[in-house]
Amino acid sequence: MKKNTATLTHGDTSIDLDVIEGSEGELGVDIRSLRAKTGLITLDQGYSSTGSCESAITFVDGENGVLRYRGYPIEELAVKSTFTEVAQLLIFGQLPTGGQHQVFSDLLSEHELLHQDLLHHFEGFPAKGQPMAILSAIVNSLGSFHPDLLEIQNDEEFLRAAAKLISKVRTIAAFSYRKSLGLPFIHPNPNLRYCTNFLHMMFSLPYRDYKPPLGAVKALSTFLIAHADHEQNCSASTVRMVGSAQANLFASVAAGICALWGRLHGGANAAVINMLTNIKENNIKIPVLLEQVKQKRFRLMGFGHRVYKSFDPRAKVMRSVAEDLLATMEKKDELLDLAQEVAEAALADEYFQERNLYPNLDFYSGIILRALGVPTNMFPVMFAMGRMPGWIAHWREESSGPHKIHRPRQIYTGETKRDYVDRNKRGWKIRQTSSWDSF
Ligand code: ACO
């Protein structure tokens, strides 16, 4: 049998399908001609065996716990790079030169303010409004403030749109937090770098500038790097799906934010902290907790991953950042000790071993955010800030590809054709009118 062909037999028909090989040796059967040749489609609910595209952005090897952005290992980027450098890497494919990075940083400063009219939108949200709802709504509304960027025609326009999103998402995130506390907005300071500027907008008060504690800026940068992309996850796939309809970048990314809000995706970091707090406050014993998980009463949040079946390398990065940050700040967080105890017990348990369930990115990331003073309802927003470069990179890749709208098929399982049942046979009281208002 030829290595680069897979043969599919159904009834009397047998066809050869091309096998495509990726740059890391991953193989995929190209089924694009399957329906035309056989009338068959494939069924893969949840897409665990389906490749939706070819992509050159991020490589994940779930069996061996490998994650690389554009070829660079996450462990190295986490230590050596800044978040904005990684954003350029993901979006444009290369680590930036000093000059390229300066241009990008200047653009981020240029676009950091929000249009004054956009600020009025914040007033319409309730005081305790979910920051994630505010973020997705305001990011979507950016499209109406930048109509010149709805149809991106060239690289310069794309760069401007990308810089606007990466810069403004930080301002919107900080303002949504200030709004929830009824505090005045602190405008971005163009003299501050990305992460310091965000902490300034979050925690400064008028005439009282916030000085981030030692280690906080680096920890935030690493947090954002670890969240920056993760190939075809639910939100990135959403961005690509929406983008495939040739929707603009702002609308596509806003859809990604909505997908990320889900408890099984970007909402998991907050769920982990809520779970750990609940264990602590109610003095729940870890074996009792694990027993309830095994009885499927709830899931152990921050555990398990669709792709990682050994360990999630981001969890290791997040754990060491959390430990270092707390040590540098000379702080203690009982939830970190508790998280480590829960992880140890789960990893030693057959249920978790058999199902290859390991701590994921979200298991330790919340500890970092707590140490930085970020409240739990802002956790998914922090994730969204980090994921912005990944979404933009995916939108660009999708838009510069073969321009095929994503349109899966289905196996229909509903009623077959049947006769219409008139209303008088369905207990309706028929009004005696023949006029148009009966509708
Ligand atoms: N706790 C307990 N059991 C679990 C967990 C968990 N966290 N995750 C999976 N399982 C079990 C399932 O019950 C199932 O058991 P079964 O075979 O006896 O029915 C088995 O493991 C496989 O689970 P699936 O749901 O099929 O795995 P899937 O790959 O679809 O789900 C997911 C991945 C959604 C991340 C899942 O592991 C989960 O719900 N984890 C908790 C939420 C979480 O931490 N999400 C963050 C993901 S990372 C990210 O988005 C950045």
Side-chain angles (χ1 to χ4, degrees):
M1 189 202 283
K2 278 193 283 172
K3 189 188 165 210
N4 55 359
T5 310
T7 307
L8 184 126
T9 306
H10 177 248
D12 297 336
T13 314
S14 200
I15 59 161
D16 284 344
L17 295 162
D18 287 344
V19 173
I20 293 179
E21 184 164 353
S23 52
E24 291 281 354
E26 284 178 313
L27 299 176
V29 182
D30 183 345
I31 56 159
R32 275 173 284 195
S33 61
L34 179 66
R35 189 167 179 279
K37 285 182 177 164
T38 65
L40 298 171
I41 63 162
T42 56
L43 180 63
D44 180 19
Q45 233 153 349
Y47 310 130
S48 43
S49 293
T50 295
S52 59
C53 60
E54 291 177 66
S55 179
I57 303 169
T58 289
F59 173 67
V60 178
D61 173 353
E63 275 67 38
N64 296 304
V66 173
L67 169 62
R68 295 188 207 123
Y69 296 161
R70 302 280 188 186
Y72 297 104
I74 186 68
E75 295 84 354
E76 222 175 331
L77 292 169
V79 175
K80 297 181 178 167
S81 272
T82 64
F83 172 61
T84 50
E85 205 182 347
V86 169
Q88 281 183 281
L89 170 69
L90 283 167
I91 297 170
F92 303 107
Q94 302 297 338
L95 282 170
T97 62
Q100 287 165 337
H101 192 57
Q102 191 56 53
V103 169
F104 193 61
S105 294
D106 291 347
L107 271 177
L108 295 182
S109 301
E110 185 185 328
H111 295 296
E112 64 192 2
L113 290 172
L114 302 183
H115 192 288
Q116 203 59 25
D117 290 344
L118 191 53
L119 294 183
H120 297 308
H121 286 229
F122 285 91
E123 287 166 21
F125 289 104
K128 296 244 173 295
Q130 266 294 327
M132 204 60 172
I134 300 177
L135 184 75
S136 58
I138 299 222
V139 165
N140 198 18
S141 72
L142 285 176
S144 64
F145 287 87
H146 306 290
D148 54 320
L149 295 175
L150 295 184
E151 301 286 343
I152 289 176
Q153 307 284 357
N154 52 47
D155 287 351
E156 186 278 322
E157 287 181 358
F158 173 72
L159 174 63
R160 203 148 37 90
K164 269 188 202 298
L165 267 169
I166 290 176
S167 190
K168 288 184 196 300
V169 72
R170 169 188 57 168
T171 313
I172 299 167
F175 284 11
S176 66
Y177 166 70
R178 307 288 295 202
K179 161 80 190 173
S180 71
L181 294 183
L183 287 171
F185 295 155
I186 299 291
H187 291 284
N189 176 346
N191 299 317
L192 299 178
R193 308 299 297 269
Y194 193 88
C195 291
T196 317
N197 210 350
F198 174 70
L199 294 172
H200 160 68
M201 285 189 274
M202 287 282 285
F203 302 122
S204 285
L205 289 169
Y207 305 106
R208 270 179 284 170
D209 277 352
Y210 174 76
K211 295 266 174 292
L214 213 60
V217 174
K218 175 68 189 147
L220 175 59
S221 178
T222 312
F223 171 93
L224 297 175
I225 290 172
H227 288 77
D229 191 43
H230 209 239
E231 50 119 305
Q232 310 309 320
N233 56 83
C234 180
S235 57
S237 301
T238 301
V239 170
R240 292 187 82 120
M241 167 80 89
V242 176
S244 79
Q246 298 190 0
N248 67 76
L249 179 58
F250 304 111
S252 305
V253 161
I257 295 173
C258 293
L260 186 73
W261 197 358
R263 214 184 5 257
L264 296 186
H265 191 10
N269 50 14
V272 171
I273 295 298
N274 292 337
M275 178 185 78
L276 293 173
T277 309
N278 185 29
I279 298 171
K280 187 168 146 295
E281 285 179 0
N282 295 303
N283 198 19
I284 299 170
K285 299 285 172 257
I286 293 173
V288 174
L289 172 90
L290 295 188
E291 208 37 56
Q292 290 176 344
V293 169
K294 290 192 267 183
Q295 287 165 10
K296 313 258 189 222
R297 288 170 62 180
F298 50 83
R299 288 192 169 194
L300 190 61
M301 297 314 286
F303 253 74
H305 197 276
R306 169 60 60 81
V307 180
Y308 292 118
K309 298 303 173 196
S310 61
F311 64 94
D312 179 343
R314 303 167 301 171
K316 283 190 175 175
V317 171
M318 289 293 90
R319 179 177 167 168
S320 89
V321 172
E323 288 168 349
D324 290 353
L325 178 64
L326 289 170
T328 316
M329 292 169 90
E330 296 179 5
K331 255 184 169 181
K332 202 165 162 46
D333 186 343
E334 285 178 13
L335 293 195
L336 176 59
D337 301 334
L338 182 57
Q340 280 161 352
E341 280 173 49
V342 171
E344 253 170 54
L347 291 170
D349 192 297
E350 251 179 37
Y351 173 96
F352 293 87
Q353 289 169 355
E354 279 166 5
R355 290 167 179 76
N356 296 318
L357 301 171
Y358 292 82
N360 60 44
L361 168 71
D362 295 312
F363 197 67
Y364 296 106
S365 63
I367 307 285
I368 301 171
L369 296 178
R370 271 162 63 88
L372 294 174
V374 177
T376 321
N377 66 350
M378 280 288 290
F379 285 12
V381 170
M382 302 299 295
F383 193 151
M385 251 172 75
R387 189 50 62 89
M388 191 56 75
W391 289 331
I392 295 171
H394 282 284
W395 184 88
R396 189 186 205 201
E397 197 174 64
E398 184 65 44
S399 312
S400 45
H403 296 298
K404 207 160 170 63
I405 191 166
H406 290 205
R407 202 321 189 166
R409 291 200 175 249
Q410 62 168 14
I411 300 289
Y412 175 69
T413 58
E415 299 284 348
T416 53
K417 185 171 184 291
R418 50 183 171 162
D419 293 333
Y420 184 78
V421 182
D422 285 331
R423 284 183 191 156
N424 57 7
K425 293 186 181 148
R426 289 183 273 134
W428 279 53
K429 288 199 176 84
I430 306 296
R431 277 201 292 160
Q432 293 306 312
T433 170
S434 59
S435 75
W436 57 268
D437 71 350
S438 61
F439 290 95

